[in-house]
Amino acid sequence: MDISLLSQRILKIQRDIVENANEKVIRASRAYLTEVVTGTPADTGQAISSWKTGLNYQPRGERNLAPGSKGSTRSAAINAVLSLELPRLDRRQTGQTVYIVNTVSYIDQLNAGKSSQAPAGFIDRARIAAGAASRTKRLID
């Protein structure tokens, strides 16, 4: 094999690694967001609605995309958040930091099990799902 072909092959492998790494980050981010949003307890819809994503910035501010009571708008809130935030994650470029945050002040209490609507640890379960999703693609095929 001549040096020119070897050089081209190495450059292709490098591009594939970078592209596949970015895909792994996107896949893991999507899995985390989906799991954490669907695992968040719902009363008024605000905690679910306040899951936000940012690429190279940390989102701020609470929101309520589907106001309700006693979980009446749970599905609507989940669908609204995922339809807004998943496309943003899909636009991630190599090198961008992904932020997935919940902006309500009581999210840690919900994760600790304060609500009877969902078991404690839904954020930790989302991390596990993200890790599993990131392992489904190899860096080099």
Coordinates of all heavy atoms in Angstrom, one line a residue, residues 21-101:
A21 N -18.9 9.6 16.9 CA -18.9 10.1 18.2 C -20.0 11.1 18.4 O -20.7 11.1 19.4 CB -17.6 10.7 18.6
N22 N -20.2 12.0 17.4 CA -21.3 13.0 17.5 C -22.7 12.3 17.5 O -23.6 12.6 18.3 CB -21.2 14.0 16.3 CG -22.2 15.1 16.5 OD1 -22.2 15.8 17.6 ND2 -23.0 15.4 15.5
E23 N -22.8 11.2 16.7 CA -24.1 10.5 16.7 C -24.3 9.8 18.0 O -25.5 9.7 18.5 CB -24.0 9.4 15.6 CG -24.2 10.0 14.2 CD -24.0 9.0 13.1 OE1 -24.3 7.8 13.4 OE2 -23.7 9.3 12.0
K24 N -23.3 9.3 18.7 CA -23.4 8.7 20.0 C -23.9 9.7 21.0 O -24.7 9.4 21.9 CB -22.1 8.1 20.4 CG -21.7 6.8 19.8 CD -20.4 6.3 20.1 CE -20.3 5.6 21.4 NZ -20.6 4.2 21.5
V25 N -23.3 10.9 21.0 CA -23.7 12.0 21.9 C -25.2 12.3 21.7 O -26.0 12.4 22.6 CB -22.8 13.2 21.8 CG1 -23.4 14.4 22.6 CG2 -21.4 12.9 22.2
I26 N -25.6 12.5 20.4 CA -27.0 12.8 20.1 C -27.9 11.7 20.6 O -28.9 11.9 21.2 CB -27.2 13.1 18.6 CG1 -26.5 14.4 18.2 CG2 -28.7 13.1 18.2 CD1 -26.4 14.6 16.7
R27 N -27.6 10.4 20.3 CA -28.4 9.3 20.7 C -28.5 9.2 22.2 O -29.6 9.0 22.7 CB -27.8 8.0 20.2 CG -28.7 6.8 20.4 CD -28.1 5.5 19.8 NE -28.1 5.5 18.4 CZ -27.0 5.6 17.6 NH1 -25.8 5.6 18.2 NH2 -27.0 5.6 16.3
A28 N -27.4 9.4 22.9 CA -27.5 9.4 24.4 C -28.3 10.5 24.9 O -29.1 10.4 25.9 CB -26.1 9.4 25.0
S29 N -28.2 11.7 24.4 CA -28.9 12.9 24.8 C -30.4 12.7 24.6 O -31.2 13.0 25.4 CB -28.4 14.1 24.1 OG -27.1 14.4 24.3
R30 N -30.8 12.2 23.4 CA -32.2 11.9 23.1 C -32.8 10.9 24.1 O -33.9 11.1 24.6 CB -32.3 11.4 21.7 CG -32.1 12.5 20.6 CD -32.2 11.9 19.2 NE -33.6 11.3 19.0 CZ -34.6 12.0 18.5 NH1 -34.5 13.3 18.2 NH2 -35.8 11.4 18.3
A31 N -32.0 9.8 24.4 CA -32.5 8.8 25.3 C -32.7 9.4 26.7 O -33.7 9.1 27.4 CB -31.5 7.6 25.3
Y32 N -31.7 10.2 27.2 CA -31.8 10.8 28.5 C -33.0 11.7 28.6 O -33.8 11.6 29.5 CB -30.5 11.6 28.8 CG -30.6 12.3 30.1 CD1 -30.3 11.6 31.3 CD2 -30.9 13.6 30.2 CE1 -30.4 12.2 32.5 CE2 -31.0 14.2 31.5 CZ -30.8 13.5 32.6 OH -30.9 14.2 33.8
L33 N -33.1 12.6 27.6 CA -34.3 13.5 27.6 C -35.6 12.8 27.6 O -36.5 13.1 28.4 CB -34.2 14.5 26.4 CG -35.3 15.5 26.4 CD1 -35.3 16.5 27.6 CD2 -35.4 16.3 25.1
T34 N -35.7 11.9 26.7 CA -37.0 11.1 26.7 C -37.3 10.4 28.0 O -38.5 10.5 28.5 CB -37.0 10.1 25.5 OG1 -36.7 10.8 24.3 CG2 -38.3 9.3 25.4
E35 N -36.3 9.8 28.5 CA -36.5 9.0 29.8 C -36.8 9.9 30.9 O -37.7 9.7 31.8 CB -35.3 8.2 30.1 CG -35.5 7.2 31.2 CD -36.4 6.0 30.9 OE1 -36.5 5.7 29.8 OE2 -36.9 5.5 31.9
V36 N -36.1 11.0 31.0 CA -36.3 11.9 32.2 C -37.6 12.7 32.1 O -38.3 12.9 33.1 CB -35.1 12.9 32.4 CG1 -35.1 14.0 31.4 CG2 -35.0 13.3 33.8
V37 N -38.0 13.0 30.9 CA -39.3 13.7 30.7 C -40.5 12.8 31.0 O -41.4 13.2 31.8 CB -39.4 14.3 29.3 CG1 -40.9 14.8 29.0 CG2 -38.5 15.5 29.1
T38 N -40.4 11.6 30.5 CA -41.5 10.6 30.7 C -41.5 10.1 32.2 O -42.6 9.7 32.7 CB -41.5 9.5 29.8 OG1 -40.2 8.8 29.9 CG2 -41.7 9.9 28.3
G39 N -40.4 10.2 32.9 CA -40.3 9.8 34.3 C -40.7 10.8 35.3 O -40.9 10.5 36.5
T40 N -40.8 12.1 34.9 CA -41.1 13.2 35.8 C -42.5 13.1 36.3 O -43.4 13.0 35.4 CB -40.8 14.5 35.1 OG1 -39.4 14.6 34.7 CG2 -41.0 15.7 36.1
P41 N -42.8 13.2 37.6 CA -44.1 13.2 38.1 C -44.9 14.5 37.5 O -44.3 15.5 37.3 CB -44.0 13.3 39.6 CG -42.6 13.1 39.9 CD -41.8 13.3 38.6
A42 N -46.2 14.3 37.4 CA -47.0 15.4 36.8 C -48.1 15.8 37.8 O -48.8 14.9 38.3 CB -47.6 15.0 35.5
D43 N -48.2 17.0 38.1 CA -49.4 17.6 38.8 C -49.9 18.7 37.9 O -50.9 18.5 37.2 CB -49.0 18.1 40.2 CG -50.2 18.6 41.0 OD1 -51.3 18.3 40.6 OD2 -50.0 19.3 42.0
T44 N -49.2 19.8 37.9 CA -49.7 21.0 37.1 C -49.1 20.9 35.7 O -49.5 21.7 34.8 CB -49.3 22.3 37.8 OG1 -47.8 22.4 37.8 CG2 -49.8 22.4 39.2
G45 N -48.1 20.1 35.5 CA -47.4 20.1 34.2 C -46.1 20.9 34.1 O -45.4 20.8 33.2
Q46 N -45.9 21.7 35.1 CA -44.8 22.6 35.1 C -43.4 21.9 35.2 O -42.5 22.2 34.5 CB -44.9 23.7 36.2 CG -43.8 24.7 36.1 CD -44.1 25.9 37.0 OE1 -45.1 26.0 37.7 NE2 -43.2 26.9 36.9
A47 N -43.3 20.9 36.0 CA -42.0 20.2 36.2 C -41.7 19.5 34.9 O -40.5 19.5 34.4 CB -42.1 19.2 37.3
I48 N -42.6 18.8 34.2 CA -42.3 18.2 32.9 C -42.0 19.3 31.9 O -41.0 19.1 31.2 CB -43.6 17.4 32.5 CG1 -43.7 16.1 33.4 CG2 -43.4 16.9 31.0 CD1 -45.0 15.4 33.1
S49 N -42.8 20.3 31.8 CA -42.6 21.4 30.8 C -41.2 22.1 31.0 O -40.7 22.7 30.0 CB -43.7 22.4 30.9 OG -44.9 21.8 30.6
S50 N -40.7 22.0 32.2 CA -39.4 22.8 32.4 C -38.2 22.0 32.1 O -37.1 22.5 32.4 CB -39.4 23.3 33.9 OG -40.4 24.3 34.0
W51 N -38.3 20.9 31.5 CA -37.1 20.2 30.9 C -36.7 21.0 29.6 O -37.5 21.1 28.7 CB -37.3 18.7 30.6 CG -37.3 17.9 31.9 CD1 -38.4 17.4 32.5 CD2 -36.2 17.6 32.7 NE1 -38.0 16.7 33.6 CE2 -36.6 16.8 33.8 CE3 -34.8 17.8 32.5 CZ2 -35.8 16.3 34.7 CZ3 -34.0 17.3 33.5 CH2 -34.4 16.6 34.6
K52 N -35.5 21.4 29.6 CA -35.0 22.2 28.4 C -33.6 21.7 28.0 O -32.9 21.2 28.8 CB -34.9 23.7 28.8 CG -36.2 24.3 29.2 CD -36.0 25.8 29.5 CE -37.4 26.4 29.8 NZ -37.2 27.9 30.1
T53 N -33.3 21.9 26.8 CA -32.0 21.6 26.2 C -31.3 22.8 25.7 O -32.0 23.8 25.3 CB -32.1 20.5 25.1 OG1 -32.7 21.1 24.0 CG2 -32.8 19.3 25.6
G54 N -30.0 22.8 25.7 CA -29.2 23.9 25.2 C -27.9 23.3 24.6 O -27.4 22.4 25.1
L55 N -27.5 23.9 23.5 CA -26.2 23.5 22.8 C -25.3 24.7 23.1 O -25.5 25.8 22.5 CB -26.4 23.3 21.4 CG -27.4 22.1 21.0 CD1 -27.6 22.0 19.5 CD2 -26.8 20.8 21.6
N56 N -24.3 24.5 23.9 CA -23.3 25.5 24.4 C -23.9 26.6 25.2 O -23.3 27.6 25.4 CB -22.6 26.1 23.2 CG -21.5 25.2 22.6 OD1 -21.1 24.2 23.2 ND2 -21.1 25.5 21.4
Y57 N -25.1 26.4 25.8 CA -25.6 27.3 26.8 C -26.6 26.5 27.7 O -27.1 25.5 27.3 CB -26.4 28.5 26.1 CG -27.7 28.1 25.5 CD1 -28.9 28.2 26.2 CD2 -27.7 27.6 24.2 CE1 -30.1 27.8 25.6 CE2 -28.9 27.2 23.6 CZ -30.1 27.3 24.3 OH -31.3 27.0 23.7
Q58 N -26.7 27.0 28.9 CA -27.5 26.4 29.9 C -28.9 27.1 29.9 O -28.9 28.3 30.3 CB -26.9 26.4 31.3 CG -27.6 25.5 32.2 CD -26.8 25.2 33.5 OE1 -25.6 25.5 33.6 NE2 -27.4 24.5 34.4
P59 N -30.0 26.5 29.6 CA -31.3 27.1 29.5 C -31.7 27.6 30.9 O -31.3 27.0 31.9 CB -32.2 26.1 29.0 CG -31.3 25.1 28.3 CD -30.0 25.1 29.1
R60 N -32.5 28.6 30.9 CA -33.0 29.2 32.2 C -34.6 29.4 32.0 O -35.1 29.4 30.9 CB -32.4 30.5 32.5 CG -30.9 30.4 32.6 CD -30.3 31.8 33.1 NE -28.9 31.8 33.0 CZ -28.0 31.2 33.8 NH1 -28.5 30.5 34.8 NH2 -26.7 31.3 33.6
G61 N -35.2 29.6 33.1 CA -36.6 30.0 33.1 C -37.6 28.9 33.1 O -37.4 27.9 32.4
E62 N -38.6 28.9 34.0 CA -39.6 27.9 34.0 C -40.6 28.1 32.9 O -40.7 29.2 32.4 CB -40.3 27.9 35.4 CG -39.3 27.5 36.5 CD -40.0 27.6 37.9 OE1 -41.3 27.7 38.0 OE2 -39.3 27.5 38.9
R63 N -41.3 27.1 32.6 CA -42.4 27.2 31.6 C -43.5 26.1 31.9 O -43.2 25.2 32.6 CB -41.9 27.1 30.2 CG -41.4 25.7 29.9 CD -40.8 25.6 28.5 NE -40.2 24.3 28.3 CZ -39.4 24.0 27.3 NH1 -39.1 24.9 26.4 NH2 -39.0 22.8 27.1
N64 N -44.7 26.4 31.5 CA -45.7 25.3 31.6 C -46.4 25.3 30.2 O -47.2 26.1 29.9 CB -46.7 25.7 32.7 CG -47.5 24.4 33.1 OD1 -47.6 23.5 32.3 ND2 -48.1 24.5 34.3
L65 N -46.0 24.3 29.5 CA -46.6 24.1 28.1 C -48.0 23.6 28.0 O -48.6 23.7 27.0 CB -45.6 23.2 27.3 CG -44.2 23.7 27.2 CD1 -43.3 22.7 26.6 CD2 -44.1 25.0 26.4
A66 N -48.4 22.9 29.1 CA -49.7 22.3 29.1 C -50.3 22.3 30.6 O -50.3 21.3 31.3 CB -49.6 20.8 28.6
P67 N -50.7 23.5 31.0 CA -51.2 23.6 32.4 C -52.4 22.7 32.6 O -53.2 22.5 31.8 CB -51.6 25.1 32.5 CG -50.9 25.8 31.3 CD -50.8 24.8 30.3
G68 N -52.4 22.2 33.8 CA -53.5 21.3 34.2 C -53.4 21.1 35.7 O -52.8 21.9 36.5
S69 N -54.1 20.1 36.2 CA -54.1 19.8 37.6 C -54.2 18.3 37.8 O -54.8 17.6 37.0 CB -55.2 20.5 38.4 OG -56.5 20.0 37.9
K70 N -53.6 17.8 38.9 CA -53.6 16.4 39.2 C -53.2 15.5 38.0 O -53.7 14.4 37.8 CB -54.9 16.0 39.7 CG -55.3 16.7 41.0 CD -56.6 16.3 41.6 CE -56.7 17.1 42.9 NZ -58.0 17.1 43.5
G71 N -52.2 16.0 37.2 CA -51.7 15.2 36.1 C -52.6 15.1 34.9 O -52.3 14.3 34.0
S72 N -53.6 15.9 34.8 CA -54.5 15.9 33.7 C -53.9 16.1 32.3 O -54.5 15.7 31.3 CB -55.7 16.8 34.0 OG -55.2 18.2 34.0
T73 N -52.8 16.8 32.3 CA -52.2 17.2 31.0 C -50.8 16.6 30.9 O -50.0 17.0 30.1 CB -52.1 18.7 30.9 OG1 -51.4 19.3 32.0 CG2 -53.5 19.3 30.8
R74 N -50.6 15.5 31.6 CA -49.3 14.8 31.6 C -48.8 14.5 30.1 O -47.7 14.9 29.7 CB -49.3 13.6 32.4 CG -48.1 12.7 32.4 CD -48.2 11.5 33.2 NE -47.0 10.7 33.1 CZ -45.8 11.0 33.6 NH1 -45.7 12.1 34.4 NH2 -44.8 10.2 33.5
S75 N -49.6 13.8 29.4 CA -49.3 13.4 28.0 C -49.0 14.6 27.1 O -48.1 14.6 26.3 CB -50.4 12.5 27.4 OG -50.5 11.3 28.1
A76 N -49.9 15.6 27.3 CA -49.7 16.8 26.5 C -48.4 17.5 26.8 O -47.7 18.0 25.9 CB -50.9 17.8 26.7
A77 N -48.0 17.6 28.1 CA -46.8 18.2 28.5 C -45.6 17.4 27.9 O -44.6 18.0 27.4 CB -46.7 18.3 30.0
I78 N -45.6 16.1 28.1 CA -44.5 15.3 27.6 C -44.4 15.5 26.1 O -43.3 15.7 25.6 CB -44.8 13.8 27.9 CG1 -44.7 13.5 29.4 CG2 -43.9 12.9 27.1 CD1 -45.1 12.2 29.8
N79 N -45.5 15.4 25.3 CA -45.4 15.6 23.9 C -44.9 17.0 23.5 O -44.1 17.1 22.5 CB -46.8 15.3 23.2 CG -47.2 13.9 23.3 OD1 -46.3 13.0 23.4 ND2 -48.5 13.6 23.3
A80 N -45.3 18.0 24.2 CA -44.9 19.4 23.9 C -43.4 19.5 24.1 O -42.7 20.1 23.3 CB -45.6 20.4 24.7
V81 N -42.9 19.0 25.2 CA -41.4 19.1 25.5 C -40.6 18.4 24.5 O -39.7 18.9 23.9 CB -41.1 18.6 26.9 CG1 -39.6 18.5 27.1 CG2 -41.7 19.5 28.0
L82 N -41.0 17.1 24.2 CA -40.2 16.3 23.3 C -40.2 16.9 21.9 O -39.2 16.9 21.2 CB -40.7 14.9 23.3 CG -40.4 14.1 24.6 CD1 -41.0 12.7 24.6 CD2 -39.0 14.2 25.0
S83 N -41.4 17.4 21.5 CA -41.4 18.0 20.1 C -40.6 19.3 20.0 O -40.1 19.6 18.9 CB -42.9 18.3 19.7 OG -43.5 19.3 20.5
L84 N -40.4 20.0 21.1 CA -39.6 21.2 21.1 C -38.1 20.9 21.2 O -37.3 21.5 20.5 CB -40.0 22.1 22.2 CG -41.2 22.9 22.1 CD1 -41.6 23.7 23.4 CD2 -41.1 24.0 21.0
E85 N -37.8 20.0 22.1 CA -36.4 19.8 22.5 C -35.6 18.7 21.7 O -34.4 18.9 21.5 CB -36.3 19.5 24.0 CG -36.9 20.5 24.9 CD -36.3 21.9 24.8 OE1 -35.1 22.0 24.4 OE2 -37.0 22.9 25.1
L86 N -36.3 17.6 21.2 CA -35.5 16.6 20.5 C -34.9 17.2 19.2 O -33.8 16.8 18.9 CB -36.4 15.4 20.2 CG -36.7 14.5 21.4 CD1 -37.8 13.4 21.1 CD2 -35.5 13.9 22.0
P87 N -35.7 18.0 18.4 CA -35.0 18.5 17.2 C -33.8 19.4 17.5 O -32.9 19.4 16.7 CB -36.2 19.4 16.6 CG -37.4 18.7 17.1 CD -37.1 18.3 18.5
R88 N -33.8 20.1 18.6 CA -32.6 20.9 19.0 C -31.4 19.9 19.2 O -30.3 20.2 18.8 CB -32.9 21.7 20.3 CG -31.8 22.6 20.7 CD -32.1 23.5 21.8 NE -33.1 24.5 21.3 CZ -34.3 24.7 21.9 NH1 -34.6 24.1 23.0 NH2 -35.1 25.6 21.4
L89 N -31.6 18.8 19.9 CA -30.5 17.9 20.1 C -30.0 17.3 18.8 O -28.8 17.1 18.6 CB -31.0 16.7 21.0 CG -31.3 17.1 22.5 CD1 -31.9 15.9 23.2 CD2 -30.1 17.7 23.2
D90 N -30.9 17.1 17.9 CA -30.5 16.6 16.6 C -29.6 17.5 15.8 O -28.9 17.1 14.9 CB -31.8 16.3 15.7 CG -32.5 15.1 16.2 OD1 -32.0 14.2 17.0 OD2 -33.7 15.0 15.9
R91 N -29.6 18.8 16.1 CA -28.8 19.8 15.4 C -27.4 19.9 16.1 O -26.6 20.7 15.6 CB -29.5 21.2 15.5 CG -30.7 21.2 14.6 CD -31.3 22.6 14.4 NE -31.8 23.2 15.6 CZ -33.0 23.1 16.1 NH1 -33.9 22.4 15.5 NH2 -33.3 23.7 17.2
R92 N -27.1 19.1 17.1 CA -25.8 19.2 17.7 C -24.7 19.0 16.7 O -24.8 18.1 15.9 CB -25.7 18.2 18.8 CG -24.4 18.3 19.6 CD -23.9 17.0 20.1 NE -22.7 17.3 21.0 CZ -21.5 16.8 20.7 NH1 -21.3 16.1 19.6 NH2 -20.5 17.1 21.5
Q93 N -23.7 19.8 16.8 CA -22.5 19.6 16.0 C -21.3 19.2 16.9 O -21.3 19.5 18.1 CB -22.1 21.0 15.3 CG -23.2 21.5 14.4 CD -23.4 20.7 13.2 OE1 -22.4 20.3 12.5 NE2 -24.6 20.3 12.9
T94 N -20.3 18.5 16.3 CA -19.2 18.1 17.0 C -18.6 19.2 17.8 O -18.4 20.3 17.3 CB -18.1 17.5 16.0 OG1 -18.7 16.4 15.4 CG2 -16.9 17.1 16.8
G95 N -18.3 19.0 19.1 CA -17.7 20.0 19.9 C -18.6 20.8 20.8 O -18.2 21.4 21.7
Q96 N -19.9 20.7 20.4 CA -20.9 21.5 21.2 C -21.2 20.7 22.5 O -21.4 19.5 22.5 CB -22.2 21.7 20.5 CG -22.1 22.7 19.4 CD -23.4 22.9 18.7 OE1 -24.1 22.0 18.3 NE2 -23.8 24.2 18.6
T97 N -21.3 21.4 23.6 CA -21.7 20.9 24.9 C -23.2 20.8 24.9 O -23.9 21.8 24.6 CB -21.2 21.8 26.0 OG1 -19.8 21.8 26.0 CG2 -21.6 21.2 27.4
V98 N -23.8 19.7 25.3 CA -25.2 19.5 25.5 C -25.6 19.7 26.9 O -25.0 19.1 27.8 CB -25.6 18.1 25.0 CG1 -27.1 17.9 25.3 CG2 -25.3 17.8 23.6
Y99 N -26.6 20.6 27.1 CA -27.1 20.8 28.4 C -28.6 20.3 28.4 O -29.3 20.7 27.5 CB -27.1 22.3 28.8 CG -25.8 22.8 29.1 CD1 -25.0 23.4 28.1 CD2 -25.2 22.7 30.3 CE1 -23.8 23.9 28.3 CE2 -23.9 23.2 30.6 CZ -23.2 23.8 29.5 OH -22.0 24.3 29.8
I100 N -28.9 19.5 29.4 CA -30.3 19.1 29.6 C -30.6 19.4 31.0 O -30.1 18.7 31.9 CB -30.5 17.6 29.2 CG1 -30.2 17.3 27.8 CG2 -32.0 17.2 29.5 CD1 -30.2 15.8 27.4
V101 N -31.5 20.3 31.3 CA -31.7 20.8 32.6 C -33.2 20.9 32.9 O -34.0 21.1 31.9 CB -31.1 22.2 32.9 CG1 -29.6 22.1 32.7 CG2 -31.6 23.3 31.9

